[in-house]
């Protein structure tokens, strides 16, 4: 009977300890366009976040807690983004690696702020995201990526200087991201003495841009800056080539994906785009890149930024000694650099990255690489 009592006590002890082990896991949501036209971006988010979680877990986790990922699909649609955000906070998740498109991140941020969750986008660049959060007094809305106004300040003056006297067209896809970055480029280009001959929005998702191509041909466009995504950019280029129209296309960061070339084909040759200084070239990223590639995925585009968000969450929790999102955000904004695969990062009081730097990349024969501006 005594042995039975000891055995029963041991079983009860095991039963009591098992749930504690599961409760000690910490969940981070990863949100982006996992399906739809921009699914490659969602895949980059997912691959980067999973690789980071695997590496951190293998090293002992976050103060001994294992990271679990909750992947959610918003299709870069604002309404779906709000619905997903509500579901995430209802499930008690406090940390969000996402969203991707500014048009999704901005409305979703209000849901996270109200719930006190920490959202950090690895891709959204519209200044409104953090500007509005700062104005509203929301400390838990951040981004581990650059801002459109900073990108505009980089490329706008360069376009004005390099293409002085040329016919420059500025277009956008009417999205928060596309129009935001186009407006930023237009402003700084104009300030530096070059005015566009056309500023126009297009309708994303269309398949026939023949009328637009004809207009560009009539205007004798030398340069087109397009704030938008790779499906439309590739189609416009391909249909321009069909009308024997050639111009220099310049884009923001959205075409850092092999799918751009799949859509554009040879018509994409020479296309330029701005992207934060190549994260794949960072020595801090070498081991992560090797492991991701070993799994059959090339860590292009936003992959390493998503990876860095997970690293930043983990470091913030350690610094704060807590998983309280407000305390973690405060710890991340204390000015002390955070080591990530995209290098040492620091945040300002708004939750934006400090000291962002850029490359001008160019597509050649299905691949892209930085060029000397």
């Amino acid at each position: 009977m005594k042995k039975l009592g000891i055995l029963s006590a041991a079983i009860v002890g095991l039963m009591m300890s098992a749930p504690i082990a599961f409760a000690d896991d910490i969940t981070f949501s990863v949100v982006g366009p996992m399906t739809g036209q921009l699914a490659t971006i969602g895949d980059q988010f997912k691959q980067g976040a999973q690789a980071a979680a695997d590496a951190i877990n293998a090293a002992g986790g976050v103060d001994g807690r294992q990271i679990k990922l909750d992947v959610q699909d918003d299709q870069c649609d604002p309404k779906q983004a709000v619905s997903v955000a509500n579901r995430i906070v209802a499930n008690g998740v406090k940390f969000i690696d996402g969203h991707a498109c500014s048009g999704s991140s901005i409305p979703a941020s209000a849901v996270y702020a109200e719930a006190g969750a920490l959202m950090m986008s690895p891709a959204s660049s519209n200044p409104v995201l953090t500007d509005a959060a700062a104005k509203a007094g929301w400390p838990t809305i951040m981004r581990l990526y650059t801002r459109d106004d900073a990108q505009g300040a980089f490329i706008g003056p360069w376009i004005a200087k390099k293409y002085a006297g040329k016919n420059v067209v500025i277009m956008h896809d009417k999205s928060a991201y596309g129009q935001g970055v186009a407006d930023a480029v237009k402003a700084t280009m104009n300030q530096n003495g070059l005015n566009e001959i056309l500023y126009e929005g297009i309708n994303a998702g269309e398949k026939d841009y023949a009328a637009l191509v004809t207009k560009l041909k009539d205007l004798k466009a030398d340069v087109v800056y397009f704030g938008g995504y790779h499906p439309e950019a590739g189609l416009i280029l391909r249909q321009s080539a069909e009308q024997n129209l050639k111009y220099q296309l310049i884009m923001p960061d959205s075409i850092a994906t092999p799918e751009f070339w799949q859509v554009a084909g040879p018509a994409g040759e020479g296309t330029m785009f701005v992207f934060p200084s190549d994260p794949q070239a960072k020595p801090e990223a070498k081991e992560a890149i090797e492991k991701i590639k070993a799994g059959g995925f090339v860590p292009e585009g936003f992959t390493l930024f998503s990876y860095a968000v997970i690293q930043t969450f983990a470091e913030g929790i350690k610094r704060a000694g807590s998983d309280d999102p407000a305390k973690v955000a405060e710890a991340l904004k204390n000015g002390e650099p955070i080591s990530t695969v995209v290098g040492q990062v620091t945040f300002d009081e708004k939750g934006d990255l400090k000291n962002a730097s850029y490359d001008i990349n160019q597509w050649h024969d299905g691949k892209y690489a930085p060029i000397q501006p």
Side-chain angles (χ1 to χ4, degrees):
M1 290 295 292
K2 187 175 180 180
K3 287 182 180 179
L4 183 59
I6 293 170
L7 183 60
S8 297
I11 292 170
V12 170
L14 285 170
M15 289 173 67
M16 291 178 66
S17 66
I20 294 172
F22 286 106
D24 277 349
D25 293 339
I26 184 166
T27 300
F28 298 155
S29 285
V30 182
V31 193
M34 303 300 164
T35 60
Q37 277 198 318
L38 303 178
T40 52
I41 295 174
D43 201 22
Q44 290 168 0
F45 273 30
K46 183 169 58 177
Q47 295 283 346
Q50 189 62 63
D54 290 345
I56 293 167
N57 287 342
V62 184
D63 290 335
R65 302 168 71 183
Q66 294 285 287
I67 296 171
K68 302 295 182 184
L69 297 182
D70 164 52
V71 178
Q72 297 282 347
D73 179 19
D74 70 358
Q75 291 193 345
C76 270
D77 175 79
K79 290 182 179 179
Q80 289 196 51
V82 170
S83 177
V84 166
N86 279 301
R87 182 163 61 245
I88 287 169
V89 298
N91 289 338
V93 179
K94 302 177 183 178
F95 297 90
I96 297 88
D97 175 4
H99 298 219
C101 301
S102 295
S104 295
S105 290
I106 293 168
S109 68
V111 178
Y112 299 127
E114 185 177 347
L118 176 52
M119 166 191 169
M120 185 176 290
S121 174
S124 294
S125 54
N126 192 302
V128 171
L129 176 64
T130 45
D131 287 355
K135 186 175 181 180
W138 299 339
T140 58
I141 305 303
M142 302 176 68
R143 77 174 112 218
L144 203 155
Y145 200 65
T146 60
R147 291 169 54 113
D148 290 337
D149 46 7
Q151 188 174 147
F154 170 77
I155 194 65
W158 182 82
I159 293 173
K161 182 179 179 180
K162 184 172 179 64
Y163 298 105
K166 299 292 186 180
N167 293 330
V168 177
V169 170
I170 296 181
M171 303 189 307
H172 61 80
D173 65 356
K174 302 179 184 177
S175 70
Y177 162 71
Q179 185 167 358
V181 70
D183 285 347
V185 172
K186 170 179 160 59
T188 55
M189 187 184 81
N190 294 167
Q191 288 164 13
N192 282 268
L194 180 60
N195 293 318
E196 69 282 357
I197 58 169
L198 175 70
Y199 174 82
E200 186 164 289
I202 69 160
N203 295 317
E206 291 187 355
K207 301 301 180 186
D208 184 359
Y209 291 103
L212 172 65
V213 173
T214 298
K215 184 182 289 188
L216 295 176
K217 198 170 188 177
D218 291 343
L219 289 169
K220 299 180 180 178
D222 299 307
V223 180
V224 174
Y225 181 89
F226 174 49
Y229 292 94
H230 64 270
E232 288 75 26
L235 278 175
I236 291 168
L237 277 175
R238 203 171 68 201
Q239 291 173 22
S240 294
E242 290 168 0
Q243 291 197 35
N244 296 314
L245 175 62
K246 181 64 179 175
Y247 47 81
Q248 177 61 61
L249 179 65
I250 304 174
M251 294 277 293
D253 43 31
S254 58
I255 61 168
T257 166
E259 282 202 359
F260 167 71
W261 193 266
Q262 291 170 18
V263 177
E269 182 68 29
T271 298
M272 297 178 185
F273 68 96
V274 178
F275 201 74
S277 295
D278 187 10
Q280 293 189 68
K282 304 279 185 182
E284 299 95 324
K286 186 174 184 296
E287 184 178 350
I289 289 170
E290 289 174 354
K291 288 185 177 179
I292 294 171
K293 284 184 174 179
F297 189 81
V298 179
E300 294 180 305
F302 304 101
T303 307
L304 295 178
F305 290 96
S306 181
Y307 191 117
V309 168
I310 302 299
Q311 289 180 302
T312 302
F313 284 160
E315 178 61 22
I317 292 167
K318 290 177 184 177
R319 287 186 185 181
S322 166
D323 64 2
D324 179 290
K327 291 179 180 178
V328 172
E330 183 180 1
L332 292 174
K333 298 175 186 177
N334 69 0
E336 185 181 343
I338 302 149
S339 297
T340 76
V341 290
V342 299
Q344 299 280 308
V345 298
T346 54
F347 298 92
D348 63 19
E349 282 303 307
K350 282 186 179 179
D352 284 318
L353 277 183
K354 292 182 178 179
N355 305 318
S357 60
Y358 298 91
D359 291 330
I360 297 175
N361 293 268
Q362 189 164 40
W363 279 94
H364 170 62
D365 197 22
K367 298 178 181 179
Y368 63 84
I371 61 172
Q372 288 298 119

